[in-house]
Amino acid sequence: MEELKRRGLYRAMPVLNGIPGRVATIDSREVLNFSSNNYLGLAGHPRLMQAAAECSLRHGAGSTASRLIAGNGEVHRAVEDFVAQWKGTEAAVVFGSGYQANVGILSSLATEEDLIISDMLNHASIIDGCRLSRAPVRIYGHFDLQQLEDLLKMDGYRRKLVVTESVFSMDGDLAPLKEIDGLCRRWGALLMVDEAHAAGVVGLQGRGAANEQGIVPEIQMGTLGKAVGASGAYVAGTRQLIDLLINKARSFIYTTAASPGVLGAALAGLKIVASPEGDMRRERLQNNGQEFQRLLHEAGFPGSRPGHIVPVHIGESRRTMEISARCLQGGVFAHGIRYPTVPEGTARIRFTLMSDHTSEDLRKAVSTLKAVLR
């Protein structure tokens, strides 16, 4: 613990009170919230909160068992049916979290006879899923299609599985999924896409980056706890894939099912995501991303792809957290991201935008950061 503190890597949990939104209450003071994945502002939406309450009153506070024993309620099936229809797949299954979903998928589909090929900046849940699968793993440089193809040419494996995020959580950049999918098809590999930070935000009706780029990966994972505004995650694909996960994914089988209230809120959130109101919120979020990048550029910060995840690179971990603390003192909650979440020496302040942020909020965030870095 002392070593973590010395290196600026010690972590503590800030306490937020009240309904989550563009404004957060931390230590009894209101600050602008630029650290939440509540991209469409749905976590505090009255329809989600009402649905959570009604489902809890109807079905109880907890599911009380795993899905395969006594925890499989009608609301679980309703969410899965909606996700399958929304994603245009044969079936879907709900997991308790995105971490559980990724670990369950990879440890179920790959063995020592298979090869997993993973982007070097993939999320920790993907890394851990690869480890638990016990399959050989090869890493390709971030978006390096030539290196990816070289790895796909390798012989001697029963099956090859390429796994990538679509929108990368720490940089906000968008994977070239169409090109990756083309390489997978050319060399006979399966493709798994983690849409955690794209689901609800990107594509027609928020169906994700794969949909926007016109591809249908064999395995599509997304969360219900970010843009959808609730909690949990889903996997969508063929009926055979989903049946396999239900029977083999230990992170699905050996855990209590998500509570009815959470799933009720998730279903309400999904319905908004796929509706004209979702379109309106996505448009506002996109406009906020463009305006935020413009403001950063005018303030002298290096530009990046306009989007809802905007990193400002600092470098050293301790300095990054000091800057984050000073931003908080100035009324802007923009959390520092450091090793091991990102590689050593690449710590950054990560701004995550919401559709509910106003132009005034965006200007305040940039001006506060600029003043802190003076």
Side-chain angles (χ1 to χ4, degrees):
M1 297 299 289
E2 291 302 321
E3 176 68 8
L4 289 175
K5 292 176 182 177
R6 186 188 68 78
R7 296 173 59 193
L9 301 179
Y10 180 80
R11 296 167 189 253
M13 296 184 288
V15 178
L16 278 69
N17 294 306
I19 295 172
R22 52 173 281 275
V23 175
T25 302
I26 302 177
D27 296 331
S28 302
R29 59 192 286 260
E30 287 191 345
V31 294
L32 291 174
N33 183 4
F34 285 91
S35 292
S36 169
N37 298 324
N38 185 21
Y39 300 127
L40 300 185
L42 296 183
H45 197 291
R47 279 162 59 186
L48 271 73
M49 294 190 290
Q50 183 68 27
E54 289 176 356
C55 259
S56 295
L57 289 171
R58 182 178 177 187
H59 300 290
S63 292
T64 75
S66 72
R67 291 284 300 280
L68 292 175
I69 299 179
N72 187 36
E74 61 183 40
V75 68
H76 296 79
R77 298 298 297 273
V79 170
E80 290 166 350
D81 289 346
F82 191 95
V83 168
Q85 181 274 328
W86 175 56
K87 298 289 288 185
T89 60
E90 291 179 0
V93 64
V94 169
F95 281 74
S97 70
Y99 185 94
Q100 288 178 323
N102 279 340
V103 166
I105 294 165
L106 291 161
S107 62
S108 297
L109 292 182
T111 71
E112 294 91 338
E113 300 178 68
D114 306 310
L115 176 66
I116 299 176
I117 305 173
S118 178
D119 187 291
M120 70 178 295
L121 296 185
N122 274 338
H123 190 266
S125 59
I126 294 175
I127 295 170
D128 289 353
C130 291
R131 290 170 175 165
L132 286 171
S133 74
R134 300 181 182 176
V137 180
R138 298 292 182 270
I139 308 300
Y140 65 94
H142 190 50
F143 299 168
D144 188 334
L145 297 178
Q146 183 57 62
Q147 188 177 14
L148 171 59
E149 183 166 26
D150 291 342
L151 292 171
L152 283 166
K153 293 177 182 178
M154 296 176 64
D155 293 323
Y157 299 97
R158 180 186 64 167
R159 180 189 297 121
K160 296 170 192 171
L161 170 62
V162 174
V163 56
T164 181
E165 297 179 51
S166 56
V167 172
F168 276 72
S169 59
M170 294 301 122
D171 293 279
D173 48 352
L174 183 63
L177 296 178
K178 190 167 186 177
E179 290 81 359
I180 293 172
D181 181 68
L183 290 174
C184 288
R185 293 184 184 279
R186 182 183 306 170
W187 296 102
L190 299 173
L191 175 59
M192 172 183 166
V193 177
D194 178 335
E195 296 264 39
H197 292 271
V201 175
V202 181
L204 181 67
Q205 294 187 329
R207 290 173 182 156
N211 174 267
E212 184 180 55
Q213 296 187 35
I215 67 166
V216 183
E218 286 82 4
I219 306 124
Q220 300 183 64
M221 173 271 181
T223 66
L224 303 170
K226 295 181 172 60
V228 176
S231 183
Y234 64 81
V235 183
T238 64
R239 181 74 260 175
Q240 187 180 42
L241 168 70
I242 301 308
D243 286 345
L244 178 68
L245 294 177
I246 290 170
N247 282 275
K248 285 197 65 180
R250 295 168 68 86
S251 57
F252 174 84
I253 297 168
Y254 299 107
T255 189
T256 299
S259 69
V262 163
L263 271 297
L267 184 58
L270 285 165
K271 289 178 178 178
I272 294 173
V273 162
S275 74
E277 181 181 346
D279 293 337
M280 177 191 69
R281 288 174 178 269
R282 276 185 289 278
E283 184 177 2
R284 286 210 314 254
L285 181 61
Q286 183 179 34
N287 291 339
N288 280 346
Q290 293 171 349
E291 182 176 0
F292 194 62
Q293 284 292 348
R294 178 182 61 79
L295 291 169
L296 285 171
H297 178 74
E298 290 174 357
F301 293 99
S304 62
R305 174 185 176 274
H308 52 290
I309 300 171
V310 184
V312 175
H313 290 266
I314 306 298
E316 197 269 327
S317 294
R318 184 179 295 280
R319 181 166 180 260
T320 298
M321 299 314 294
E322 290 170 353
I323 291 168
S324 176
R326 290 173 63 191
C327 283
L328 185 63
Q329 292 170 4
V332 174
F333 180 39
H335 209 55
I337 307 294
R338 59 214 148 133
Y339 179 83
T341 306
V342 294
E344 193 85 72
T346 68
R348 77 275 318 256
I349 306 293
R350 185 184 63 162
F351 290 86
T352 50
L353 308 182
M354 300 182 201
S355 60
D356 293 350
H357 282 132
T358 66
S359 292
E360 184 180 345
D361 296 339
L362 303 179
R363 288 194 294 272
K364 163 102 172 156
V366 173
S367 63
T368 301
L369 180 65
K370 186 176 181 180
V372 164
L373 289 172
R374 232 174 241 163

